[in-house]
Amino acid sequence: MKLYEMKIAPNPRRVRIFLAEKGIAVETVEVDLAKGEHMSEAFKAKNPMRKVPVLELDDGTCISETMAICRYFEELQPDPPLMGETPLEKAQIEMWQRQMEFYFMLPTGMCFQHTSGYFSAIRKTFPEWGERNREDVEKFFHYLNRHFAENTYVAGEKFTVADITALCALDFSKVNNVRIQPEQEHLARWYEAVNSRPSAKA
Amino acid sequence: MKLYEMKIAPNPRRVRIFLAEKGIAVETVEVDLAKGEHMSEAFKAKNPMRKVPVLELDDGTCISETMAICRYFEELQPDPPLMGETPLEKAQIEMWQRQMEFYFMLPTGMCFQHTSGYFSAIRKTFPEWGERNREDVEKFFHYLNRHFAENTYVAGEKFTVADITALCALDFSKVNNVRIQPEQEHLARWYEAVNSRPSAKA
């Protein structure tokens, strides 16, 4: 089994942290997006969307999409549970995970893509749209701060995959110069808690 | 149990089709976004993101996010399976579902939000960004057509939740005037197959 990834990219990091929490070791293969290695026909055959991460099984079957890869390992090795155990827990954790994905990771990525210049040689960017996304992420930090005033972790009292998405989105947002503000003490408390877990270094 | 939704919106439709495939009946409550009913404090308490659908359980617990609601019902009543049975199937169906969501439903929504004028009174729109998304969706139709030349359904030989997302995205894309082209015969074959299931009318 091999995990095609890129060390500095936020989505592969989600998988690495997930695996570290589970105590699962997987061989990794670095794909350098800056050098266009994801544009090769060989990589396109693994994921037509040309994105990392991709998990390749020993028979050549490829699974792309961060959360699909996490789901695979959760089903293979449910312990420790990161996606819930009961129907209600599974639904609630998926709800929170998606909230972190659609309202935090996604606009952070949009801001980076459209304001950093990193992708401007490849495709036309829309800087004003990127700025809008930056504002949305800044507002989301306030929302998260209020959330963590009443909740230990994203989905409540247990560390879950939703915390992994939020942690990776928060660290990613630093490239957009969006940071925890001095008055966001609850968000800072949560960040310190999840960022000091050994898995955060994965 | 109550499902807060909006009949004409694409995401609530995904849940209705999912429930119809499972043979589960749930009371629905219409939330009129055009009248701003999702902006009330009462609705915000159900979903701080102010989006439909939201599933409210009898004890008042609320689950938002389309796929989280579907997950809840899949776990409560696995038959017929729409999200896979083995770890590999579950991962692959999640992969395909997310591909339909991120590369089809999401840009379709972006195009609608930024080019239709439907939301321009509420928030500044970026029409050029909307047009880029229209082009991406048009390209995705070609990709899907090639995919269906070799696959009966989105995730292979079985109808799954990934087909539900794709069907709702395809019908939604009509508002952007993106339609199946005459030469896209494989996509047309798939559409006819999924759109003629009784659940498509849910």
Side-chain angles (χ1 to χ4, degrees), chain B residues 32-102:
Chain B
D32 193 333
L33 305 192
K35 287 186 185 161
E37 289 177 0
H38 58 307
M39 299 306 285
S40 71
E41 285 303 307
F43 190 74
K44 187 185 174 189
K46 299 185 197 304
N47 179 9
M49 300 297 116
R50 302 178 185 275
K51 299 279 170 89
V52 286
V54 174
L55 182 71
E56 185 174 50
L57 307 185
D58 291 342
D59 69 358
T61 301
C62 287
I63 304 167
S64 58
E65 291 295 332
T66 299
M67 286 305 298
I69 296 170
C70 291
R71 178 85 51 194
Y72 183 64
F73 288 111
E74 179 83 0
E75 292 289 328
L76 281 184
Q77 186 196 301
D79 195 54
L82 294 171
M83 299 169 103
E85 292 178 282
T86 67
L88 182 59
E89 271 182 12
K90 288 181 183 187
Q92 288 177 313
I93 291 167
E94 184 144 355
M95 170 184 81
W96 286 111
Q97 194 284 321
R98 289 172 65 90
Q99 195 182 104
M100 296 306 118
E101 206 162 46
F102 281 96

Side-chain angles (χ1 to χ4, degrees), chain A residues 22 67 71 74-75 78 81-98 155 158 160-162, chain B residues 63-76 78 83-85 90 94:
Chain A
K22 293 267 184 195
M67 286 306 299
R71 178 85 50 197
E74 179 84 0
E75 292 289 328
L82 295 170
M83 300 169 103
E85 293 179 282
T86 67
L88 181 59
E89 270 182 13
K90 288 182 184 187
Q92 288 178 313
I93 292 166
E94 184 145 357
M95 171 183 80
W96 286 110
Q97 194 285 320
R98 290 171 65 89
K158 290 181 197 168
T160 70
V161 69
Chain B
I63 304 167
S64 58
E65 291 295 332
T66 299
M67 286 305 298
I69 296 170
C70 291
R71 178 85 51 194
Y72 183 64
F73 288 111
E74 179 83 0
E75 292 289 328
L76 281 184
M83 299 169 103
E85 292 178 282
K90 288 181 183 187
E94 184 144 355

Side-chain angles (χ1 to χ4, degrees), chain A residues 102-153:
Chain A
F102 282 97
Y103 301 98
F104 194 2
M105 183 65 90
L106 185 69
T108 297
M110 288 280 180
C111 179
F112 178 65
Q113 284 172 39
H114 291 280
T115 67
S116 69
Y118 191 85
F119 294 99
S120 56
I122 303 169
R123 214 169 174 210
K124 185 177 188 308
T125 55
F126 299 90
E128 269 195 283
W129 168 244
E131 290 302 332
R132 150 73 69 79
N133 280 277
R134 188 197 313 276
E135 291 164 21
D136 287 346
V137 174
E138 285 169 348
K139 284 182 199 158
F140 199 76
F141 271 51
H142 292 295
Y143 165 78
L144 279 178
N145 187 56
R146 293 192 299 275
H147 180 75
F148 290 127
E150 296 178 354
N151 297 277
T152 306
Y153 294 106

Side-chain angles (χ1 to χ4, degrees), chain B residues 104-162:
Chain B
F104 195 2
M105 183 65 89
L106 184 69
T108 297
M110 289 281 179
C111 179
F112 178 64
Q113 285 171 38
H114 291 281
T115 67
S116 69
Y118 191 85
F119 294 98
S120 56
I122 303 170
R123 216 168 173 211
K124 184 175 187 310
T125 55
F126 299 88
E128 268 194 284
W129 168 245
E131 289 303 331
R132 149 74 70 80
N133 280 277
R134 188 198 311 279
E135 291 164 21
D136 287 346
V137 174
E138 285 169 348
K139 283 182 198 157
F140 199 77
F141 271 52
H142 291 294
Y143 165 78
L144 280 178
N145 187 56
R146 293 191 298 275
H147 181 76
F148 290 125
E150 295 177 355
N151 297 276
T152 306
Y153 294 106
V154 172
E157 295 314 301
K158 291 180 195 168
F159 178 89
T160 70
V161 69

Side-chain angles (χ1 to χ4, degrees), chain A residues 22-34:
Chain A
K22 293 267 184 195
I24 300 172
V26 174
E27 181 189 346
T28 59
V29 179
E30 179 79 1
V31 179
D32 192 334
L33 306 192

